[in-house]
Amino acid sequence: MTHSRRLLATTIAVLALALTACATPRADAPAAEPSPRFGDVHPEPPQGEIQVQGTVMDKAGAISLCIGPIAQSYPPQCAGIPLEGWDWDAAEGEETAADSTWGAYAVTGTFDGETIAVTAPPILLALFDPMVPEDPTGGEPGTTREDELLEIQQTIQDRLGDEVQSAYVENGYVRLQVVWDDGTYQDAADAEFGEKVVIVESLMQPVG
């Protein structure tokens, strides 16, 4: 073998060893962090104003906004989010019975994760004309089997508990309503269950 051929063969061998070393992960290299489970991460409170629809319930001066199920008693009963700065003089269409006053409104305010601070006069729901959010499914049915969807629905309810306002299977998807989501819940659902399997709807919507 000539000198030039020996040099070429040596160069190729060195390059092959280098490529092998690059392709082989180090034994002491840290493992990739797994994606967080759905329900292990939660959205931060909204930074600006939000708008949300529900029933304002004033029971003996304790005022809250109910956006979940309401017991159809008279007066109605529900557990809601505390309201600060609510003024019945700025509202219309309320009803009163015993020590309770209530009405259905679109409420604008800020939300710190526990309390809504009202920042604008409420709008009676009977007069409210909200923007209809775009359906991320485009009206197309999902492809996930119903038994899998029911299992996912139960998993979601088990993990989120009272944060779930409603969860149901419809047209090949799990539809999930929560008080607030900035995309955190949706991203986690997509990562764990697959894209367009769980459709998360935030009942609070940013203003503007």
Side-chain angles (χ1 to χ4, degrees):
M1 181 181 292
T2 66
H3 174 72
S4 59
R5 287 183 178 178
R6 283 198 301 271
L7 180 61
L8 178 60
T10 302
T11 302
I12 292 173
V14 169
L15 286 174
L17 285 172
L19 289 172
T20 302
C22 291
T24 304
R26 288 173 48 191
D28 59 349
E33 293 261 346
S35 298
R37 276 192 340 153
F38 180 84
D40 287 347
V41 290
H42 302 272
E44 294 293 326
Q47 295 300 306
E49 287 185 318
I50 52 85
Q51 192 169 67
V52 59
Q53 303 174 45
T55 297
V56 174
M57 177 63 64
D58 180 346
K59 185 170 179 60
I63 306 176
S64 60
L65 178 69
C66 300
I67 60 178
I70 298 175
Q72 298 302 311
S73 55
Y74 194 82
Q77 301 178 54
C78 60
I81 302 169
L83 285 178
E84 287 183 355
W86 180 263
D87 182 5
W88 284 113
D89 290 338
E92 58 180 334
E94 71 271 19
E95 296 184 60
T96 299
D99 63 349
S100 297
T101 300
W102 69 95
Y105 303 96
V107 176
T108 301
T110 58
F111 180 59
D112 64 4
E114 295 182 358
T115 302
I116 297 173
V118 179
T119 57
I123 303 172
L124 193 66
L125 277 191
L127 305 176
F128 186 54
D129 185 20
M131 293 278 294
V132 178
E134 183 179 351
D135 183 357
T137 72
E140 295 293 325
T143 58
T144 308
R145 297 200 323 261
E146 184 167 358
D147 60 331
E148 293 180 13
L149 293 174
L150 291 171
E151 184 176 345
I152 291 170
Q153 176 190 343
Q154 187 61 54
T155 297
I156 288 171
Q157 292 173 318
D158 290 344
R159 293 186 189 173
L160 291 189
D162 292 341
E163 294 179 60
V164 175
Q165 299 301 305
S166 71
Y168 55 94
V169 173
E170 180 184 70
N171 200 30
Y173 305 96
V174 175
R175 297 274 183 174
L176 170 64
Q177 289 184 327
V178 294
V179 172
W180 165 248
D181 185 35
D182 59 0
T184 299
Y185 283 142
Q186 185 66 73
D187 290 345
D190 290 347
E192 181 165 348
F193 307 120
E195 292 189 8
K196 292 191 176 180
V197 174
V198 177
I199 309 298
V200 181
E201 178 186 358
S202 175
L203 297 179
M204 289 182 176
Q205 290 295 316
V207 173

